[in-house]
Amino acid sequence: MVSAKRFLQDEPVLGRALRLFVERFANLDDPVLQVSAHAKTDDEKIAWTLLGTALYQDLRMDEIAALLVALCRKFPGDKLWTLPVPKGGDIEAVVESALGNRDWSLFKNVAGIFWSVGFFVRRHGDLKNWIASSTPEEMWRDMGEIYFMGKRGARPKACAAIYRLCGKTPAGLGYGVGRGLKRFRWPDLPLTMGARRFLSIMGPAREGGFADLSLEQKQKMLNDFCVALLPENPYAVAHSLQFYLEEGENSFMCRECQAGCANCPIYEFCDYGVKES
């Protein structure tokens, strides 16, 4: 493995192709934003983003999208946090209907996650003001109140939530962008499965050894790579890479969104594209 900067110096053609890939996918909403962006009020957008991020685990993109849509229909808008809270059985019934089974790893925790987001909203009140008056580090710390957002270590879900809330649209909801992003220490970039695949298959770790790295080492590699590739907007890189070889309805999402691998800027560098397109 080499450093991200050295890798891009050695692979200038791949670097240019990847910037085109990022440009193409940077405007594609992820499933959490697809749902929350259609909420009517700021509080609803922020609250549903927090819930979607906390629930996004061990599900494909189409599955988490279907689940969030189903929850929104059953408990629309501020029903996420207003009292009385929904019964656990009612929440679980929505999950079972949306996913078609009760096998999801978070099934027994979903009601608790739902309730904890509701409690978070009731406790913090005006969520837009909460973002505006908090640094990213303070937001990261506050999110420890939400069940399954994590309380120790890197807490990748809390990091992902901050970028979804504060990132520039459409890769984020744009809250707090005007505060001046460089003034604060921002959390680690979202280390999605797509980003992990890219780093190990096509990126700086393609020669092997990625699986043996610690989570902290993998995270640093992603942070360094995104900054080296697009220093003016590293989050756009992390956001776009989540779609790389991510399972879609019938094929990989990166393939479905481009109507075939041959249309992809990184096609000639991708073994999956060469073998399966």
Side-chain angles (χ1 to χ4, degrees), residues 15-27:
R16 288 193 294 271
L18 186 57
R19 291 184 187 94
L20 292 174
F21 180 92
V22 170
E23 182 179 325
R24 187 166 297 178
F25 282 88
N27 293 327

Side-chain angles (χ1 to χ4, degrees), residues 35-50 76-81 121 127 173 175:
V35 175
S36 63
H38 289 89
K40 296 180 180 179
T41 69
D42 290 319
D43 280 348
E44 290 175 12
K45 289 180 180 181
I46 296 167
W48 281 95
T49 298
L50 293 174
D78 62 1
K79 296 297 183 183
L80 172 56
W81 68 85
V121 178
L127 295 182
L173 294 176
Y175 292 107

Side-chain angles (χ1 to χ4, degrees), residues 39 52 103 243 247 249 260:
D103 299 333
F243 301 104
E247 187 175 353
E249 290 187 23

Side-chain angles (χ1 to χ4, degrees), residues 161-195:
I162 291 171
Y163 282 104
R164 285 191 176 109
L165 293 172
C166 299
K168 295 180 181 180
T169 58
L173 294 176
Y175 292 107
V177 169
R179 293 181 298 163
L181 300 184
K182 293 183 179 180
R183 291 171 48 205
F184 305 107
R185 179 184 179 276
W186 286 79
D188 291 327
L189 292 163
L191 182 61
T192 61
M193 289 306 300

Side-chain angles (χ1 to χ4, degrees), residues 1 154 188 191 196 199 209-222:
M1 288 180 283
D188 291 327
L191 182 61
R196 294 169 189 246
L199 292 173
F210 185 78
D212 298 325
L213 297 178
S214 67
L215 177 60
E216 290 75 17
Q217 289 172 316
K218 293 176 181 177
Q219 183 68 69
K220 184 179 186 305
M221 180 180 290
L222 175 70

Side-chain angles (χ1 to χ4, degrees), residues 43-227:
D43 280 348
E44 290 175 12
K45 289 180 180 181
I46 296 167
W48 281 95
T49 298
L50 293 174
L51 177 65
T53 303
L55 292 176
Y56 201 167
Q57 180 174 316
D58 297 335
L59 291 175
R60 301 191 311 267
M61 282 190 171
D62 59 327
E63 291 176 325
I64 186 64
L67 173 58
L68 291 176
V69 168
L71 287 170
C72 281
R73 288 175 178 169
K74 181 65 176 179
F75 313 108
D78 62 1
K79 296 297 183 183
L80 172 56
W81 68 85
T82 53
L83 299 174
V85 299
K87 296 179 180 178
D90 293 340
I91 297 173
E92 290 180 350
V94 175
V95 177
E96 183 175 5
S97 176
L99 301 182
N101 57 65
R102 301 166 66 93
D103 299 333
W104 180 34
S105 62
L106 266 63
F107 185 81
K108 293 298 183 182
N109 308 104
V110 67
I113 296 171
F114 190 101
W115 294 330
S116 73
V117 172
F119 180 78
F120 183 90
V121 178
R122 293 193 299 273
R123 182 178 183 278
H124 288 273
D126 183 341
L127 295 182
K128 185 177 180 180
N129 182 66
W130 166 67
I131 295 175
S133 60
S134 303
T135 66
E137 186 173 357
E138 289 168 340
M139 291 173 62
W140 182 88
R141 185 171 61 247
D142 288 347
M143 287 182 198
E145 301 169 18
I146 298 175
Y147 187 36
F148 262 75
M149 276 288 194
K151 294 184 180 298
R152 301 178 181 177
R155 294 173 56 196
K157 286 187 178 182
C159 296
I162 291 171
Y163 282 104
R164 285 191 176 109
L165 293 172
C166 299
K168 295 180 181 180
T169 58
L173 294 176
Y175 292 107
V177 169
R179 293 181 298 163
L181 300 184
K182 293 183 179 180
R183 291 171 48 205
F184 305 107
R185 179 184 179 276
W186 286 79
D188 291 327
L189 292 163
L191 182 61
T192 61
M193 289 306 300
R196 294 169 189 246
R197 294 185 199 104
F198 175 83
L199 292 173
S200 61
I201 295 174
M202 200 184 306
R206 67 187 182 188
E207 299 301 325
F210 185 78
D212 298 325
L213 297 178
S214 67
L215 177 60
E216 290 75 17
Q217 289 172 316
K218 293 176 181 177
Q219 183 68 69
K220 184 179 186 305
M221 180 180 290
L222 175 70
N223 292 344
D224 291 346
F225 185 81
C226 293
V227 170

